[in-house]
Amino acid sequence: MAAAAPTQAPAMTLPAAMAAKVAPSPKPTAAGDRKVVPVMTDADEVVVQVQVQAELHVLAVDDSVVDRAVIAKILRSSKYRVTTVDSATRALELLGLGLITDVNMIITDYWMPGMTGYELLKRVKESSELREIPVVIMSSENVPNRITRCLEEGAEEFLLKPVRPSDVSRLCNRIR
């Protein structure tokens, strides 16, 4: 689940005369990159396949409204689809119920009331359904033993707040 693979829509079969009128590929959109691929068959028909490059989907978890807005803005500017929630408990609830699907990465604050980001990391890595999702921990506190513990538990990365666009660019290259 770490990377979004191109998906292929069902093929449409058109007579050759109509296929000549097929529009060129549309520009990439927020919904993903689309590419129309005409393919000739033996029966003088053209099969048109639409390939869609799905956006990477990030679940951002932070109890601070301001921090959620900042991370969401940075992620969206890097072409991620972002779902934000205010607690680790809510994140697990949505993931467990299947209300959020195709999550390519979870980015979470370390210190939150109720369940910490570290506890969320542990629960994700213990789950057979979720363990392949990379988890990134964020914190405004640079505590070396906390960072080490999160990385040893399976965190993909530990980022210090404030998160910068360059941090997100580095993450983009790791989860594609």
Side-chain angles (χ1 to χ4, degrees):
M1 217 193 294
T7 57
Q8 197 162 312
M12 298 183 300
T13 303
L14 301 173
M18 287 181 65
K21 296 181 181 182
V22 173
S25 298
K27 291 183 179 179
T29 64
D33 297 333
R34 299 179 190 278
K35 181 165 84 172
V36 176
V37 183
V39 179
M40 291 298 292
T41 66
D42 291 337
D44 199 27
E45 297 175 327
V46 175
V47 177
V48 178
Q49 297 175 337
V50 179
Q51 296 176 334
V52 179
Q53 175 65 46
E55 282 180 300
L56 296 174
H57 183 192
V58 178
L59 175 59
V61 186
D62 200 312
D63 60 314
S64 163
V65 174
V66 172
D67 287 342
R68 272 197 319 272
V70 168
I71 193 65
K73 182 177 180 176
I74 291 171
L75 289 165
R76 287 183 180 120
S77 72
S78 295
K79 306 300 183 217
Y80 283 104
R81 182 169 51 112
V82 182
T83 302
T84 61
V85 294
D86 62 356
S87 72
T89 304
R90 182 71 176 143
L92 283 175
E93 177 183 309
L94 294 174
L95 288 164
L97 294 174
L99 297 175
I100 299 178
T101 58
D102 300 326
V103 173
N104 300 97
M105 180 174 65
I106 299 169
I107 186 164
T108 182
D109 186 27
Y110 179 85
W111 195 249
M112 294 180 289
M115 181 187 296
T116 67
Y118 175 73
E119 293 168 322
L120 173 61
L121 167 68
K122 286 180 61 171
R123 300 277 287 278
V124 167
K125 295 305 173 184
E126 291 168 355
S127 166
S128 60
E129 294 85 29
L130 305 175
R131 78 168 49 115
E132 296 302 317
I133 302 173
V135 178
V136 175
I137 307 285
M138 305 176 292
S139 180
S140 56
E141 300 172 337
N142 187 357
V143 181
N145 65 344
R146 179 183 297 168
I147 295 168
T148 300
R149 186 174 56 176
C150 288
L151 295 172
E152 287 174 349
E153 197 64 46
E156 184 75 19
E157 182 77 55
F158 194 103
L159 302 176
L160 291 175
K161 289 182 181 181
V163 175
R164 299 176 310 265
S166 61
D167 296 327
V168 173
S169 295
R170 194 173 67 245
L171 290 173
C172 290
N173 295 330
R174 291 176 74 171
I175 68 163
R176 287 195 186 266

PDB file of all heavy atoms in Angstrom, residues 108-112 116-119 121-122 137-155 157-161:
ATOM      1  N   THR A 108       1.484  11.994  11.620  1.00  0.00           N
ATOM      2  CA  THR A 108       0.817  12.258  12.884  1.00  0.00           C
ATOM      3  C   THR A 108       1.698  13.018  13.865  1.00  0.00           C
ATOM      4  O   THR A 108       2.918  12.828  13.886  1.00  0.00           O
ATOM      5  CB  THR A 108       0.345  10.932  13.536  1.00  0.00           C
ATOM      6  OG1 THR A 108      -0.341  11.217  14.757  1.00  0.00           O
ATOM      7  CG2 THR A 108       1.500   9.984  13.815  1.00  0.00           C
ATOM      8  N   ASP A 109       1.067  13.859  14.651  1.00  0.00           N
ATOM      9  CA  ASP A 109       1.747  14.536  15.745  1.00  0.00           C
ATOM     10  C   ASP A 109       2.104  13.483  16.794  1.00  0.00           C
ATOM     11  O   ASP A 109       1.388  12.490  16.970  1.00  0.00           O
ATOM     12  CB  ASP A 109       0.816  15.600  16.329  1.00  0.00           C
ATOM     13  CG  ASP A 109       1.492  16.449  17.387  1.00  0.00           C
ATOM     14  OD1 ASP A 109       2.728  16.610  17.344  1.00  0.00           O
ATOM     15  OD2 ASP A 109       0.780  16.967  18.262  1.00  0.00           O
ATOM     16  N   TYR A 110       3.206  13.694  17.485  1.00  0.00           N
ATOM     17  CA  TYR A 110       3.599  12.746  18.521  1.00  0.00           C
ATOM     18  C   TYR A 110       2.723  12.897  19.756  1.00  0.00           C
ATOM     19  O   TYR A 110       2.179  11.936  20.257  1.00  0.00           O
ATOM     20  CB  TYR A 110       5.074  12.946  18.917  1.00  0.00           C
ATOM     21  CG  TYR A 110       5.479  11.989  20.017  1.00  0.00           C
ATOM     22  CD1 TYR A 110       5.906  10.709  19.699  1.00  0.00           C
ATOM     23  CD2 TYR A 110       5.388  12.351  21.354  1.00  0.00           C
ATOM     24  CE1 TYR A 110       6.239   9.807  20.695  1.00  0.00           C
ATOM     25  CE2 TYR A 110       5.719  11.458  22.359  1.00  0.00           C
ATOM     26  CZ  TYR A 110       6.145  10.192  22.029  1.00  0.00           C
ATOM     27  OH  TYR A 110       6.462   9.297  23.024  1.00  0.00           O
ATOM     28  N   TRP A 111       2.601  14.135  20.225  1.00  0.00           N
ATOM     29  CA  TRP A 111       1.946  14.347  21.512  1.00  0.00           C
ATOM     30  C   TRP A 111       0.531  14.857  21.320  1.00  0.00           C
ATOM     31  O   TRP A 111       0.309  15.987  20.930  1.00  0.00           O
ATOM     32  CB  TRP A 111       2.749  15.327  22.360  1.00  0.00           C
ATOM     33  CG  TRP A 111       2.337  15.303  23.788  1.00  0.00           C
ATOM     34  CD1 TRP A 111       1.694  16.286  24.457  1.00  0.00           C
ATOM     35  CD2 TRP A 111       2.507  14.233  24.705  1.00  0.00           C
ATOM     36  NE1 TRP A 111       1.449  15.897  25.741  1.00  0.00           N
ATOM     37  CE2 TRP A 111       1.944  14.631  25.925  1.00  0.00           C
ATOM     38  CE3 TRP A 111       3.056  12.972  24.624  1.00  0.00           C
ATOM     39  CZ2 TRP A 111       1.925  13.823  27.052  1.00  0.00           C
ATOM     40  CZ3 TRP A 111       3.055  12.155  25.742  1.00  0.00           C
ATOM     41  CH2 TRP A 111       2.495  12.581  26.936  1.00  0.00           C
ATOM     42  N   MET A 112      -0.451  13.978  21.593  1.00  0.00           N
ATOM     43  CA  MET A 112      -1.865  14.349  21.505  1.00  0.00           C
ATOM     44  C   MET A 112      -2.586  13.766  22.713  1.00  0.00           C
ATOM     45  O   MET A 112      -2.162  12.730  23.239  1.00  0.00           O
ATOM     46  CB  MET A 112      -2.498  13.777  20.227  1.00  0.00           C
ATOM     47  CG  MET A 112      -1.945  14.363  18.949  1.00  0.00           C
ATOM     48  SD  MET A 112      -2.714  13.666  17.475  1.00  0.00           S
ATOM     49  CE  MET A 112      -2.028  12.010  17.472  1.00  0.00           C
ATOM     50  N   THR A 116      -1.405   8.929  21.888  1.00  0.00           N
ATOM     51  CA  THR A 116      -0.297   9.649  21.260  1.00  0.00           C
ATOM     52  C   THR A 116      -0.045   9.134  19.848  1.00  0.00           C
ATOM     53  O   THR A 116      -0.513   8.059  19.465  1.00  0.00           O
ATOM     54  CB  THR A 116       1.002   9.490  22.070  1.00  0.00           C
ATOM     55  OG1 THR A 116       1.415   8.121  22.010  1.00  0.00           O
ATOM     56  CG2 THR A 116       0.833   9.951  23.514  1.00  0.00           C
ATOM     57  N   GLY A 117       0.738   9.887  19.099  1.00  0.00           N
ATOM     58  CA  GLY A 117       1.149   9.449  17.772  1.00  0.00           C
ATOM     59  C   GLY A 117       1.981   8.184  17.838  1.00  0.00           C
ATOM     60  O   GLY A 117       1.920   7.330  16.948  1.00  0.00           O
ATOM     61  N   TYR A 118       2.759   8.031  18.907  1.00  0.00           N
ATOM     62  CA  TYR A 118       3.549   6.823  19.103  1.00  0.00           C
ATOM     63  C   TYR A 118       2.633   5.603  19.279  1.00  0.00           C
ATOM     64  O   TYR A 118       2.865   4.553  18.682  1.00  0.00           O
ATOM     65  CB  TYR A 118       4.473   6.983  20.320  1.00  0.00           C
ATOM     66  CG  TYR A 118       5.233   5.732  20.658  1.00  0.00           C
ATOM     67  CD1 TYR A 118       6.296   5.309  19.859  1.00  0.00           C
ATOM     68  CD2 TYR A 118       4.899   4.966  21.770  1.00  0.00           C
ATOM     69  CE1 TYR A 118       7.000   4.150  20.163  1.00  0.00           C
ATOM     70  CE2 TYR A 118       5.598   3.817  22.081  1.00  0.00           C
ATOM     71  CZ  TYR A 118       6.643   3.417  21.270  1.00  0.00           C
ATOM     72  OH  TYR A 118       7.337   2.270  21.570  1.00  0.00           O
ATOM     73  N   GLU A 119       1.582   5.770  20.053  1.00  0.00           N
ATOM     74  CA  GLU A 119       0.622   4.671  20.237  1.00  0.00           C
ATOM     75  C   GLU A 119      -0.102   4.352  18.929  1.00  0.00           C
ATOM     76  O   GLU A 119      -0.356   3.187  18.621  1.00  0.00           O
ATOM     77  CB  GLU A 119      -0.384   5.024  21.342  1.00  0.00           C
ATOM     78  CG  GLU A 119       0.261   5.096  22.712  1.00  0.00           C
ATOM     79  CD  GLU A 119      -0.632   5.728  23.765  1.00  0.00           C
ATOM     80  OE1 GLU A 119      -1.353   6.701  23.443  1.00  0.00           O
ATOM     81  OE2 GLU A 119      -0.586   5.261  24.914  1.00  0.00           O
ATOM     82  N   LEU A 121       1.195   4.759  15.926  1.00  0.00           N
ATOM     83  CA  LEU A 121       2.208   4.035  15.162  1.00  0.00           C
ATOM     84  C   LEU A 121       2.219   2.555  15.552  1.00  0.00           C
ATOM     85  O   LEU A 121       2.190   1.675  14.683  1.00  0.00           O
ATOM     86  CB  LEU A 121       3.586   4.660  15.410  1.00  0.00           C
ATOM     87  CG  LEU A 121       4.801   3.854  14.953  1.00  0.00           C
ATOM     88  CD1 LEU A 121       4.863   3.779  13.437  1.00  0.00           C
ATOM     89  CD2 LEU A 121       6.081   4.473  15.525  1.00  0.00           C
ATOM     90  N   LYS A 122       2.254   2.283  16.841  1.00  0.00           N
ATOM     91  CA  LYS A 122       2.290   0.891  17.307  1.00  0.00           C
ATOM     92  C   LYS A 122       1.052   0.117  16.859  1.00  0.00           C
ATOM     93  O   LYS A 122       1.155  -1.020  16.410  1.00  0.00           O
ATOM     94  CB  LYS A 122       2.428   0.850  18.830  1.00  0.00           C
ATOM     95  CG  LYS A 122       3.814   1.216  19.304  1.00  0.00           C
ATOM     96  CD  LYS A 122       3.954   1.180  20.807  1.00  0.00           C
ATOM     97  CE  LYS A 122       3.682  -0.205  21.329  1.00  0.00           C
ATOM     98  NZ  LYS A 122       4.000  -0.368  22.749  1.00  0.00           N
ATOM     99  N   ILE A 137       6.070  10.532  12.027  1.00  0.00           N
ATOM    100  CA  ILE A 137       5.771  11.212  13.280  1.00  0.00           C
ATOM    101  C   ILE A 137       6.318  12.632  13.210  1.00  0.00           C
ATOM    102  O   ILE A 137       7.419  12.854  12.713  1.00  0.00           O
ATOM    103  CB  ILE A 137       6.419  10.480  14.482  1.00  0.00           C
ATOM    104  CG1 ILE A 137       6.046   8.997  14.515  1.00  0.00           C
ATOM    105  CG2 ILE A 137       6.086  11.181  15.798  1.00  0.00           C
ATOM    106  CD1 ILE A 137       4.654   8.683  14.967  1.00  0.00           C
ATOM    107  N   MET A 138       5.538  13.594  13.730  1.00  0.00           N
ATOM    108  CA  MET A 138       5.973  14.994  13.821  1.00  0.00           C
ATOM    109  C   MET A 138       5.971  15.412  15.285  1.00  0.00           C
ATOM    110  O   MET A 138       5.117  14.959  16.048  1.00  0.00           O
ATOM    111  CB  MET A 138       4.997  15.938  13.108  1.00  0.00           C
ATOM    112  CG  MET A 138       4.690  15.646  11.682  1.00  0.00           C
ATOM    113  SD  MET A 138       3.427  16.796  11.048  1.00  0.00           S
ATOM    114  CE  MET A 138       1.953  16.304  11.959  1.00  0.00           C
ATOM    115  N   SER A 139       6.915  16.276  15.643  1.00  0.00           N
ATOM    116  CA  SER A 139       6.925  16.803  17.001  1.00  0.00           C
ATOM    117  C   SER A 139       7.662  18.129  17.023  1.00  0.00           C
ATOM    118  O   SER A 139       8.591  18.341  16.249  1.00  0.00           O
ATOM    119  CB  SER A 139       7.606  15.827  17.968  1.00  0.00           C
ATOM    120  OG  SER A 139       7.609  16.357  19.283  1.00  0.00           O
ATOM    121  N   SER A 140       7.254  19.008  17.922  1.00  0.00           N
ATOM    122  CA  SER A 140       7.972  20.271  18.099  1.00  0.00           C
ATOM    123  C   SER A 140       9.109  20.097  19.094  1.00  0.00           C
ATOM    124  O   SER A 140       9.917  20.997  19.274  1.00  0.00           O
ATOM    125  CB  SER A 140       7.009  21.360  18.573  1.00  0.00           C
ATOM    126  OG  SER A 140       6.363  20.947  19.756  1.00  0.00           O
ATOM    127  N   GLU A 141       9.182  18.924  19.726  1.00  0.00           N
ATOM    128  CA  GLU A 141      10.226  18.656  20.712  1.00  0.00           C
ATOM    129  C   GLU A 141      11.274  17.722  20.120  1.00  0.00           C
ATOM    130  O   GLU A 141      10.946  16.636  19.643  1.00  0.00           O
ATOM    131  CB  GLU A 141       9.618  18.017  21.957  1.00  0.00           C
ATOM    132  CG  GLU A 141       8.587  18.897  22.624  1.00  0.00           C
ATOM    133  CD  GLU A 141       7.852  18.188  23.742  1.00  0.00           C
ATOM    134  OE1 GLU A 141       7.798  16.942  23.741  1.00  0.00           O
ATOM    135  OE2 GLU A 141       7.329  18.880  24.621  1.00  0.00           O
ATOM    136  N   ASN A 142      12.534  18.143  20.177  1.00  0.00           N
ATOM    137  CA  ASN A 142      13.641  17.342  19.677  1.00  0.00           C
ATOM    138  C   ASN A 142      14.194  16.512  20.831  1.00  0.00           C
ATOM    139  O   ASN A 142      15.132  16.908  21.514  1.00  0.00           O
ATOM    140  CB  ASN A 142      14.721  18.253  19.077  1.00  0.00           C
ATOM    141  CG  ASN A 142      15.808  17.472  18.385  1.00  0.00           C
ATOM    142  OD1 ASN A 142      15.820  16.252  18.384  1.00  0.00           O
ATOM    143  ND2 ASN A 142      16.740  18.197  17.801  1.00  0.00           N
ATOM    144  N   VAL A 143      13.570  15.338  21.048  1.00  0.00           N
ATOM    145  CA  VAL A 143      13.959  14.446  22.138  1.00  0.00           C
ATOM    146  C   VAL A 143      14.555  13.187  21.507  1.00  0.00           C
ATOM    147  O   VAL A 143      13.809  12.343  20.987  1.00  0.00           O
ATOM    148  CB  VAL A 143      12.737  14.097  23.024  1.00  0.00           C
ATOM    149  CG1 VAL A 143      13.137  13.189  24.167  1.00  0.00           C
ATOM    150  CG2 VAL A 143      12.063  15.370  23.539  1.00  0.00           C
ATOM    151  N   PRO A 144      15.895  13.060  21.543  1.00  0.00           N
ATOM    152  CA  PRO A 144      16.554  11.962  20.830  1.00  0.00           C
ATOM    153  C   PRO A 144      16.034  10.563  21.156  1.00  0.00           C
ATOM    154  O   PRO A 144      15.827   9.757  20.242  1.00  0.00           O
ATOM    155  CB  PRO A 144      18.029  12.108  21.229  1.00  0.00           C
ATOM    156  CG  PRO A 144      18.174  13.568  21.506  1.00  0.00           C
ATOM    157  CD  PRO A 144      16.867  13.976  22.132  1.00  0.00           C
ATOM    158  N   ASN A 145      15.793  10.247  22.428  1.00  0.00           N
ATOM    159  CA  ASN A 145      15.313   8.884  22.744  1.00  0.00           C
ATOM    160  C   ASN A 145      13.897   8.652  22.228  1.00  0.00           C
ATOM    161  O   ASN A 145      13.537   7.542  21.854  1.00  0.00           O
ATOM    162  CB  ASN A 145      15.443   8.560  24.230  1.00  0.00           C
ATOM    163  CG  ASN A 145      14.561   9.411  25.114  1.00  0.00           C
ATOM    164  OD1 ASN A 145      14.047  10.443  24.702  1.00  0.00           O
ATOM    165  ND2 ASN A 145      14.412   8.974  26.357  1.00  0.00           N
ATOM    166  N   ARG A 146      13.071   9.691  22.155  1.00  0.00           N
ATOM    167  CA  ARG A 146      11.725   9.586  21.577  1.00  0.00           C
ATOM    168  C   ARG A 146      11.828   9.318  20.075  1.00  0.00           C
ATOM    169  O   ARG A 146      11.118   8.465  19.538  1.00  0.00           O
ATOM    170  CB  ARG A 146      10.952  10.878  21.826  1.00  0.00           C
ATOM    171  CG  ARG A 146       9.554  10.867  21.238  1.00  0.00           C
ATOM    172  CD  ARG A 146       8.845  12.177  21.438  1.00  0.00           C
ATOM    173  NE  ARG A 146       8.668  12.451  22.850  1.00  0.00           N
ATOM    174  CZ  ARG A 146       8.294  13.628  23.344  1.00  0.00           C
ATOM    175  NH1 ARG A 146       8.075  14.648  22.530  1.00  0.00           N
ATOM    176  NH2 ARG A 146       8.138  13.797  24.633  1.00  0.00           N
ATOM    177  N   ILE A 147      12.706  10.046  19.409  1.00  0.00           N
ATOM    178  CA  ILE A 147      12.902   9.871  17.967  1.00  0.00           C
ATOM    179  C   ILE A 147      13.379   8.451  17.681  1.00  0.00           C
ATOM    180  O   ILE A 147      12.827   7.754  16.821  1.00  0.00           O
ATOM    181  CB  ILE A 147      13.903  10.909  17.423  1.00  0.00           C
ATOM    182  CG1 ILE A 147      13.315  12.318  17.568  1.00  0.00           C
ATOM    183  CG2 ILE A 147      14.283  10.604  15.975  1.00  0.00           C
ATOM    184  CD1 ILE A 147      14.309  13.442  17.329  1.00  0.00           C
ATOM    185  N   THR A 148      14.369   7.999  18.422  1.00  0.00           N
ATOM    186  CA  THR A 148      14.914   6.647  18.243  1.00  0.00           C
ATOM    187  C   THR A 148      13.844   5.594  18.472  1.00  0.00           C
ATOM    188  O   THR A 148      13.714   4.642  17.699  1.00  0.00           O
ATOM    189  CB  THR A 148      16.098   6.422  19.204  1.00  0.00           C
ATOM    190  OG1 THR A 148      17.099   7.395  18.917  1.00  0.00           O
ATOM    191  CG2 THR A 148      16.669   5.027  19.054  1.00  0.00           C
ATOM    192  N   ARG A 149      13.056   5.758  19.523  1.00  0.00           N
ATOM    193  CA  ARG A 149      12.005   4.785  19.842  1.00  0.00           C
ATOM    194  C   ARG A 149      10.973   4.703  18.716  1.00  0.00           C
ATOM    195  O   ARG A 149      10.563   3.606  18.323  1.00  0.00           O
ATOM    196  CB  ARG A 149      11.329   5.172  21.164  1.00  0.00           C
ATOM    197  CG  ARG A 149      10.321   4.144  21.640  1.00  0.00           C
ATOM    198  CD  ARG A 149       9.789   4.489  22.981  1.00  0.00           C
ATOM    199  NE  ARG A 149       9.227   5.838  22.927  1.00  0.00           N
ATOM    200  CZ  ARG A 149       8.601   6.418  23.930  1.00  0.00           C
ATOM    201  NH1 ARG A 149       8.478   5.797  25.078  1.00  0.00           N
ATOM    202  NH2 ARG A 149       8.099   7.617  23.801  1.00  0.00           N
ATOM    203  N   CYS A 150      10.583   5.837  18.163  1.00  0.00           N
ATOM    204  CA  CYS A 150       9.607   5.835  17.062  1.00  0.00           C
ATOM    205  C   CYS A 150      10.177   5.151  15.821  1.00  0.00           C
ATOM    206  O   CYS A 150       9.492   4.349  15.173  1.00  0.00           O
ATOM    207  CB  CYS A 150       9.190   7.262  16.719  1.00  0.00           C
ATOM    208  SG  CYS A 150       8.127   8.031  17.965  1.00  0.00           S
ATOM    209  N   LEU A 151      11.417   5.456  15.489  1.00  0.00           N
ATOM    210  CA  LEU A 151      12.043   4.838  14.318  1.00  0.00           C
ATOM    211  C   LEU A 151      12.217   3.333  14.513  1.00  0.00           C
ATOM    212  O   LEU A 151      12.005   2.547  13.593  1.00  0.00           O
ATOM    213  CB  LEU A 151      13.375   5.519  14.002  1.00  0.00           C
ATOM    214  CG  LEU A 151      13.259   6.989  13.564  1.00  0.00           C
ATOM    215  CD1 LEU A 151      14.639   7.624  13.454  1.00  0.00           C
ATOM    216  CD2 LEU A 151      12.477   7.125  12.274  1.00  0.00           C
ATOM    217  N   GLU A 152      12.588   2.919  15.728  1.00  0.00           N
ATOM    218  CA  GLU A 152      12.729   1.487  16.015  1.00  0.00           C
ATOM    219  C   GLU A 152      11.382   0.768  15.948  1.00  0.00           C
ATOM    220  O   GLU A 152      11.318  -0.406  15.611  1.00  0.00           O
ATOM    221  CB  GLU A 152      13.363   1.277  17.392  1.00  0.00           C
ATOM    222  CG  GLU A 152      14.842   1.598  17.420  1.00  0.00           C
ATOM    223  CD  GLU A 152      15.441   1.532  18.817  1.00  0.00           C
ATOM    224  OE1 GLU A 152      14.674   1.433  19.817  1.00  0.00           O
ATOM    225  OE2 GLU A 152      16.682   1.595  18.915  1.00  0.00           O
ATOM    226  N   GLU A 153      10.315   1.473  16.264  1.00  0.00           N
ATOM    227  CA  GLU A 153       8.969   0.879  16.245  1.00  0.00           C
ATOM    228  C   GLU A 153       8.401   0.809  14.834  1.00  0.00           C
ATOM    229  O   GLU A 153       7.360   0.216  14.609  1.00  0.00           O
ATOM    230  CB  GLU A 153       8.042   1.684  17.165  1.00  0.00           C
ATOM    231  CG  GLU A 153       6.785   0.984  17.552  1.00  0.00           C
ATOM    232  CD  GLU A 153       7.006  -0.267  18.390  1.00  0.00           C
ATOM    233  OE1 GLU A 153       7.800  -0.240  19.345  1.00  0.00           O
ATOM    234  OE2 GLU A 153       6.346  -1.293  18.091  1.00  0.00           O
ATOM    235  N   GLY A 154       9.095   1.443  13.862  1.00  0.00           N
ATOM    236  CA  GLY A 154       8.657   1.317  12.474  1.00  0.00           C
ATOM    237  C   GLY A 154       8.264   2.600  11.785  1.00  0.00           C
ATOM    238  O   GLY A 154       7.771   2.572  10.652  1.00  0.00           O
ATOM    239  N   ALA A 155       8.470   3.756  12.439  1.00  0.00           N
ATOM    240  CA  ALA A 155       8.156   5.034  11.784  1.00  0.00           C
ATOM    241  C   ALA A 155       9.048   5.205  10.568  1.00  0.00           C
ATOM    242  O   ALA A 155      10.238   4.903  10.605  1.00  0.00           O
ATOM    243  CB  ALA A 155       8.340   6.204  12.750  1.00  0.00           C
ATOM    244  N   GLU A 157       9.717   8.104   9.221  1.00  0.00           N
ATOM    245  CA  GLU A 157      10.500   9.336   9.407  1.00  0.00           C
ATOM    246  C   GLU A 157       9.999  10.014  10.668  1.00  0.00           C
ATOM    247  O   GLU A 157       8.870   9.800  11.106  1.00  0.00           O
ATOM    248  CB  GLU A 157      10.278  10.246   8.193  1.00  0.00           C
ATOM    249  CG  GLU A 157      11.044  11.528   8.183  1.00  0.00           C
ATOM    250  CD  GLU A 157      12.502  11.348   7.798  1.00  0.00           C
ATOM    251  OE1 GLU A 157      12.778  10.783   6.735  1.00  0.00           O
ATOM    252  OE2 GLU A 157      13.357  11.779   8.591  1.00  0.00           O
ATOM    253  N   PHE A 158      10.842  10.853  11.251  1.00  0.00           N
ATOM    254  CA  PHE A 158      10.465  11.684  12.382  1.00  0.00           C
ATOM    255  C   PHE A 158      10.804  13.115  11.985  1.00  0.00           C
ATOM    256  O   PHE A 158      11.972  13.428  11.730  1.00  0.00           O
ATOM    257  CB  PHE A 158      11.244  11.284  13.641  1.00  0.00           C
ATOM    258  CG  PHE A 158      10.685  11.857  14.909  1.00  0.00           C
ATOM    259  CD1 PHE A 158       9.935  11.070  15.769  1.00  0.00           C
ATOM    260  CD2 PHE A 158      10.898  13.185  15.246  1.00  0.00           C
ATOM    261  CE1 PHE A 158       9.418  11.607  16.952  1.00  0.00           C
ATOM    262  CE2 PHE A 158      10.385  13.728  16.404  1.00  0.00           C
ATOM    263  CZ  PHE A 158       9.644  12.923  17.266  1.00  0.00           C
ATOM    264  N   LEU A 159       9.791  13.970  11.873  1.00  0.00           N
ATOM    265  CA  LEU A 159       9.982  15.354  11.448  1.00  0.00           C
ATOM    266  C   LEU A 159       9.811  16.301  12.621  1.00  0.00           C
ATOM    267  O   LEU A 159       8.906  16.128  13.442  1.00  0.00           O
ATOM    268  CB  LEU A 159       8.954  15.734  10.374  1.00  0.00           C
ATOM    269  CG  LEU A 159       8.942  14.903   9.102  1.00  0.00           C
ATOM    270  CD1 LEU A 159       7.802  15.359   8.202  1.00  0.00           C
ATOM    271  CD2 LEU A 159      10.280  14.991   8.385  1.00  0.00           C
ATOM    272  N   LEU A 160      10.675  17.314  12.667  1.00  0.00           N
ATOM    273  CA  LEU A 160      10.528  18.352  13.673  1.00  0.00           C
ATOM    274  C   LEU A 160       9.645  19.461  13.123  1.00  0.00           C
ATOM    275  O   LEU A 160       9.783  19.859  11.965  1.00  0.00           O
ATOM    276  CB  LEU A 160      11.893  18.905  14.077  1.00  0.00           C
ATOM    277  CG  LEU A 160      12.763  17.922  14.861  1.00  0.00           C
ATOM    278  CD1 LEU A 160      14.142  18.525  15.115  1.00  0.00           C
ATOM    279  CD2 LEU A 160      12.106  17.525  16.172  1.00  0.00           C
ATOM    280  N   LYS A 161       8.722  19.940  13.960  1.00  0.00           N
ATOM    281  CA  LYS A 161       7.849  21.047  13.591  1.00  0.00           C
ATOM    282  C   LYS A 161       8.614  22.347  13.772  1.00  0.00           C
ATOM    283  O   LYS A 161       9.441  22.436  14.674  1.00  0.00           O
ATOM    284  CB  LYS A 161       6.597  21.060  14.462  1.00  0.00           C
ATOM    285  CG  LYS A 161       5.640  19.936  14.180  1.00  0.00           C
ATOM    286  CD  LYS A 161       4.434  20.103  15.073  1.00  0.00           C
ATOM    287  CE  LYS A 161       3.418  19.022  14.887  1.00  0.00           C
ATOM    288  NZ  LYS A 161       2.256  19.216  15.756  1.00  0.00           N
TER     289      LYS A 161
END
